[in-house]
């Protein structure tokens, strides 16, 4: 439970930082910048949350890599796809 809490705190800190950037972009009436900062904030949150994967000592390194790979495909990849940063032309 302690690692989950640590990861959550790391993620919230990064998301809060991007929240400030969202506020700045909103203040300048940059709608695209607001959207981008929210997406970047979501990515930073998940990266902070999952940063504790490599702190689990009872897992072997290959297992940590596999869990990291799977987690990134479930969290970061959908954000990148739905954000519009990468053009999706096929299934």
């Amino acid at each position: 439970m302690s690692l989950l809490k640590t990861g959550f705190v790391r993620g919230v800190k990064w998301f809060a930082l991007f929240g400030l950037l969202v506020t700045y972009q909103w203040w300048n009436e940059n709608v695209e910048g607001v959207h981008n900062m929210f997406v970047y904030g979501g990515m930073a949150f998940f990266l902070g949350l999952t940063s504790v994967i490599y702190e689990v000592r009872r897992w072997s390194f290959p297992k940590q890599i596999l869990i990291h790979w799977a987690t990134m495909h479930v969290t970061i990849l959908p954000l990148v796809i739905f954000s519009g940063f990468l053009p999706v032309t096929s299934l």
Side-chain angles (χ1 to χ4, degrees):
M1 188 65 175
S2 177
L3 284 177
L4 182 62
K5 183 179 177 183
T6 301
F8 187 75
V9 168
R10 287 178 188 173
V12 168
K13 284 180 183 179
W14 279 108
F15 190 78
L17 175 66
F18 280 96
L20 292 173
L21 295 173
V22 165
T23 305
Y24 174 75
Q25 295 293 338
W26 178 73
W27 184 264
N28 290 330
E29 299 177 1
N30 183 359
V31 176
E32 184 178 344
V34 169
H35 172 262
N36 291 344
M37 289 303 121
F38 267 126
V39 172
Y40 292 146
M43 290 179 188
F45 172 76
F46 286 123
L47 288 172
L49 182 67
T50 60
S51 66
V52 296
I53 290 173
Y54 294 101
E55 295 179 21
V56 179
R57 299 287 179 212
R58 64 180 180 264
W59 290 348
S60 66
F61 190 60
K63 183 176 181 178
Q64 291 172 338
I65 291 173
L66 182 63
I67 291 172
H68 175 261
W69 180 82
T71 306
M72 292 301 112
H73 277 77
V74 172
T75 58
I76 302 299
L77 187 61
L79 282 173
V80 171
I81 291 172
F82 294 129
S83 68
F85 294 160
L86 297 175
V88 179
T89 57
S90 67
L91 183 61

